Amino acid sequence: MNPSFGTSHIRDMTSIFVDKSAELRDVLMSRLTSKEGEGEIKLDVLSYLSRATLDIIGLAGFDYSFNTLANEEDGLAKSFKKLFQPGGGFPIAQLLKAQFPILRSLLRFDQQSKYADDVHRRMTEIGKRLIETKKEEVKQQRSEGSLLQGTKAKDLLSLLIFSNLDDMTDASKALTDDEVLHQIPTFLLAGHETTSTATAWTLLSLADNPEVQKRLRDEILNINTESPTMEELNSLPYLETVVRESLRYHAVVSGVIRVATEDDIIPLDKPFVDTMGKVQNSIMISQGDTIYLPIRYLNTAPSIWGDDGKSFNPERWNAVPKETSAIPGVWGSQLTFLGGPRACIGYRFALVEMKALLFFLVGNFEFKLAVPVEDIGRHPGIVTRPAVLSELEKGIQLPLVVRPFVRDA
């Protein structure tokens, strides 16, 4: 699947990112200019971003229009929202399933599992229809020779199916229809919740650091276009800096679990003294051991990033500490997108999408804190989402005060 996320394909998809970001701008502007808004309004920006990124992954991933920005009552969008809201009480079922994978198919009685089953059912129904439709489209295009004559398949699913049907593809490496179907939930979940949440955290930091927000807006407004290309978005140095710092500091995936497939020895940069009083320079790992990779800790550790490692500071990228060179990340001297063969293959997609969203949002609106920044907490999960600590009963949300930006005459 890696070729589907290459630079040339992301370039082709940038128009989708831009168009949906512009639509999000228009939706927010409509709210702000209504009687309700009176020029300034408190909005849950995470909710709007989640709808925008679901629309984007629908079009860029499958050439499918969820259209949730225009219709927030979309069934799948509502199911996602329920799934990602924290459940009440002590999450004993989730904890047991996290520790004992065999229980994941057995413990399905809790409310979150019911929401997950509903989302899975909806995604499977949509996925089956999409695969059949796309296979017929690709076969038709191949028979007409249009794919060979320069017609490009812009969505990821078409690219994947075309690769499977390509005579040059090794049959042993091609995915079955079921395997392709199982990629669709991954695309939907990883392709919209992570980016929407990361962008929301970025807006919070910009609201908390108005001088950074102003500098970023000034840079964006220097680009005289309503339809920036991938190259134009990537050419903005301060936008790049803000995105890097936000992804480092907030790390929406706080950590991941890996299981050792064989015995190994992990060498240590610094030795430690074990409980027996012996100095250890390495850690012995046995096959089957579970290992937790603390992404956010490594992204913010003062021993790596300096004394202000736990602070949001885009200026740090002007002189990155040499200690960061030891982090084996696939991007940005950090572990946000992991590294190695299991690194996030969609990181280029996410970066350009995030830049497009910030381009239109910061370029057209001013964002201010709606509650003290200390009242915004990190709700743990696969994706770490914001919640208002004094309003936990309202679930996941990120309220900010939003008003249109008006240029000086």
Side-chain angles (χ1 to χ4, degrees), residues 78-98 103-104 106-121 123 189 193 379-383 385 392-393 395-396:
K78 292 175 70 176
S79 295
F80 272 132
K81 187 172 183 179
K82 289 180 181 178
L83 175 63
F84 294 128
Q85 289 294 347
F90 188 68
I92 183 66
Q94 284 89 339
L95 292 175
L96 287 172
K97 286 186 284 187
L103 298 178
R104 292 172 188 172
L106 301 176
L107 299 181
R108 309 300 301 172
F109 52 80
D110 60 291
Q111 192 62 58
Q112 291 304 103
S113 292
K114 293 177 182 177
Y115 290 149
D117 289 342
D118 181 51
V119 169
H120 184 268
R121 177 183 60 80
M123 288 192 295
L189 289 169
E193 273 302 313
H379 184 269
I382 296 176
V383 176
R385 297 172 180 83
L392 290 178
E393 71 281 359
I396 300 302

Side-chain angles (χ1 to χ4, degrees), residues 217-232:
R217 182 179 298 108
D218 289 344
E219 179 181 77
I220 289 171
L221 294 177
N222 277 331
I223 301 294
N224 188 26
T225 180
E226 284 288 298
S227 301
T229 63
M230 181 185 76
E231 286 76 13
E232 286 174 322

Side-chain angles (χ1 to χ4, degrees), residues 15-16 37 39 98 116 141 149 158 185 200 205 263 271 274 278 315 336 349 372:
S15 61
I16 296 173
Q141 289 175 326
Q149 295 169 8
S158 293
S205 287
D263 296 349
D274 65 17
K278 296 182 178 180
E315 306 306 317
T336 299
F349 183 109

